[in-house]
Amino acid sequence: MQFQHSFLLKALFVAASIAVTLPASAADKKTDNRSAFDKAYDPETKTIHLDPDDPTGDMLFDKRDYSKDKRPAGPINVQRYNGGLSWQGIPTFFKLPVAITPEDLKAGKVDVAIMGVPMSAGGYGQPGTGHGAQTMRISETMLPWGVGGVISETQVDPFEELVIVDYGDAAVDPLSVERSLASIRDTVAGAARAGAVPIMIGGDHSIMYPSVLGIADVYGKKNFSILHVDAHTDISTENFGHYVTIGNMVRLSVEEGLVKGEEVHAVGQRSPGYGPAKLKWYKENGVRIYWQGEIETRGFRAVVDDLLEDLKAGPGKLYLSIDYDVLDPAAMSAVTAPVLGGWTTRQLVELIRSVCVVVECIGVDFVEYNPFFDDQGNRGGNVALSIVRETLGAIAMRKKGIREPFYYHPAILGKERKPKKK
Ligand SMILES: [Mn+2]
């Protein structure tokens, strides 16, 4: 009897819970029993729909409960050994300690937070850039002994002068730039607000737009310049119906007033396909562009000197956007859209060293490295990572008080060499 009674109660309870849950989902299905084909896109309103009933809908952006970590805030060294070669141990950028939250950055008084932004949905070219950041973490083969060591030519060691961390990745939806905008923007702004210079490792170039928004959130709109180093103009109006792509971030930054037109500087552009309309846009918006043709004609250093004067006359704070395709394909073929007639790695390093000592870099993105077009030894990734190392070196030079463009340490220039006695 007792058994029957409790069984009955249990059966009633189960029936009640079914009554609560079943009709609702049944009702949902009743109101929207269209096919996925019909639900995904409404051609009349031109709206792309996500599935509101998918329980994994926000999974990619779902942050872990860090409070359960039970550790003091601050950077975490995840390596077991002091030594170890670059290809051993747990891969972080340059084997650096890891920071997860803005509180970690604040507690560690972090100067530079390097983060991956593994986005590739913004690119309509050959895919693969989304895997760039993670590949760069394992591409430190130039210096087999790994992180640290002075940059010989400047005698500055960025890893001594600066507190630098691997800030993990900004969450992205690899299927959608639009859905990733807020995540990238907030991660960048969080790092900048914590007092660090955020360095974003792409990923495709679409990440520049939310990154600039994040910088503007912290420093204010029009309070900084942009230097756009790229074989391409990225002022496209042909975006196939999308608001943000790899082709229009510079246009958006200017036309949305994130930065003044005359405070945007472009250098290295040379891709085919830029007719009068593109040239007109630069002129009308006051954007200072140094086409590759001018660099070839007047010389690299002469043009960079002018660029530095432009930058010095601005707000003094700079967002630097480096598309690796500014490099010649001979130096860097592992990019989505290589263009012939580009820079040597030496020229890019000299530009970065000069720019970062003349003005204060408040954010940098490195984009378009595409490991799918790299070789098995990630030689393109090694170039890409070495450029990041040089940028850290340049930021460290400024911190040390060096303000001279095209700087080399006097000993490197032979100035400490005594004349031979005759
Ligand atoms: Mn670009």
Side-chain angles (χ1 to χ4, degrees):
M1 237 1 230
Q2 188 61 39
F3 169 80
Q4 270 186 356
H5 184 69
S6 76
F7 178 80
L8 254 175
L9 268 177
K10 202 172 177 186
L12 268 172
F13 176 76
V14 169
S17 32
I18 288 169
V20 169
T21 53
L22 261 188
S25 61
D28 280 349
K29 276 180 186 153
K30 240 181 199 174
T31 53
D32 197 353
N33 56 3
R34 296 171 302 156
S35 68
F37 182 96
D38 291 327
K39 283 189 225 171
Y41 182 67
D42 180 352
E44 228 159 82
T45 60
K46 295 188 176 176
T47 311
I48 298 166
H49 294 279
L50 297 170
D51 182 354
D53 298 322
D54 182 351
T56 65
D58 292 320
M59 203 173 85
L60 294 169
F61 301 102
D62 185 26
K63 283 185 181 159
R64 212 162 47 74
D65 181 3
Y66 311 127
S67 67
K68 286 180 182 158
D69 288 359
K70 290 185 182 144
R71 61 170 178 89
I76 316 149
N77 190 328
V78 295
Q79 308 302 334
R80 181 168 294 125
Y81 303 107
N82 283 319
L85 301 175
S86 61
W87 41 274
Q88 299 170 337
I90 296 172
T92 65
F93 291 114
F94 307 105
K95 287 288 160 57
L96 285 164
V98 166
I100 308 288
T101 65
E103 289 69 35
D104 290 332
L105 300 178
K106 271 183 243 166
K109 296 190 170 65
V110 170
D111 296 302
V112 182
I114 309 175
M115 68 184 87
V117 189
M119 165 56 69
S120 53
Y124 35 74
Q126 307 175 95
T129 47
H131 296 250
Q134 203 72 305
T135 306
M136 281 167 68
R137 285 190 173 101
I138 57 161
S139 296
E140 176 84 310
T141 50
M142 177 188 68
L143 294 175
W145 49 92
V147 71
V150 67
I151 291 182
S152 315
E153 296 185 335
T154 60
Q155 293 293 299
V156 175
D157 183 345
F159 303 100
E160 282 288 320
E161 295 295 326
L162 304 167
V163 181
I164 314 169
V165 297
D166 186 330
Y167 196 46
D169 288 357
V172 302
D173 178 346
L175 301 177
S176 170
V177 176
E178 290 84 348
R179 254 194 119 198
S180 307
L181 292 174
S183 163
I184 300 169
R185 178 183 190 162
D186 293 346
T187 312
V188 171
R193 209 171 278 125
V197 178
I199 290 190
M200 285 64 72
I201 310 286
D204 69 46
H205 214 158
S206 70
I207 69 161
M208 176 186 174
Y209 174 66
S211 298
V212 169
L213 280 170
I215 290 292
D217 288 341
V218 177
Y219 290 94
K221 289 180 183 179
K222 299 182 179 173
N223 282 336
F224 56 96
S225 310
I226 288 178
L227 176 57
H228 175 224
V229 187
D230 200 324
H232 306 92
T233 59
D234 297 345
I235 57 165
S236 183
T237 47
E238 291 142 347
N239 300 300
F240 315 113
H242 290 269
Y243 286 107
V244 186
T245 67
I246 53 163
N248 72 342
M249 325 77 54
V250 173
R251 174 185 289 272
L252 291 176
S253 301
V254 173
E255 292 183 358
E256 295 186 357
L258 306 179
V259 62
K260 279 187 204 155
E262 61 264 35
E263 288 310 333
V264 175
H265 315 269
V267 62
Q269 284 70 20
R270 62 183 188 275
S271 169
Y274 304 139
K278 291 281 195 298
L279 273 55
K280 195 172 154 219
W281 185 88
Y282 282 104
K283 211 171 160 184
E284 282 181 355
N285 288 280
V287 173
R288 306 183 70 84
I289 181 163
Y290 294 94
W291 298 91
Q292 187 62 22
E294 182 176 351
I295 296 172
E296 296 300 331
T297 305
R298 293 180 51 216
F300 182 78
R301 285 195 177 190
V303 166
V304 172
D305 273 335
D306 285 0
L307 173 68
L308 295 174
E309 290 308 309
D310 290 350
L311 288 173
K312 276 193 243 175
K317 290 188 173 15
L318 179 73
Y319 182 89
L320 180 56
S321 182
I322 297 190
D323 189 325
Y324 285 118
D325 65 32
V326 78
L327 293 169
D328 191 80
M332 183 59 144
S333 58
V335 290
T336 287
V339 183
L340 81 173
W343 293 12
T344 63
T345 53
R346 167 72 55 185
Q347 287 173 321
L348 182 53
V349 167
E350 282 199 347
L351 174 93
I352 290 168
R353 280 188 195 151
S354 302
V355 160
C356 292
V357 298
V358 164
V359 286
E360 182 195 354
C361 275
I362 55 169
V364 190
D365 68 56
F366 295 93
V367 295
E368 295 291 326
Y369 163 57
N370 190 331
F372 291 5
F373 303 124
D374 211 347
D375 60 26
Q376 280 193 320
N378 298 332
R379 278 184 282 190
N382 189 243
V383 168
L385 193 69
S386 301
I387 299 292
V388 178
R389 172 193 291 277
E390 290 293 338
T391 307
L392 298 170
I395 294 171
M397 282 162 75
R398 184 177 166 87
K399 197 183 175 189
K400 275 196 100 173
I402 297 170
R403 294 289 183 275
E404 191 186 317
F406 308 106
Y407 177 83
Y408 290 86
H409 188 272
I412 297 297
L413 295 176
K415 289 184 178 167
E416 293 174 5
R417 189 170 51 231
K418 284 179 185 153
K420 208 172 179 182
K421 279 176 194 161
K422 281 177 187 167

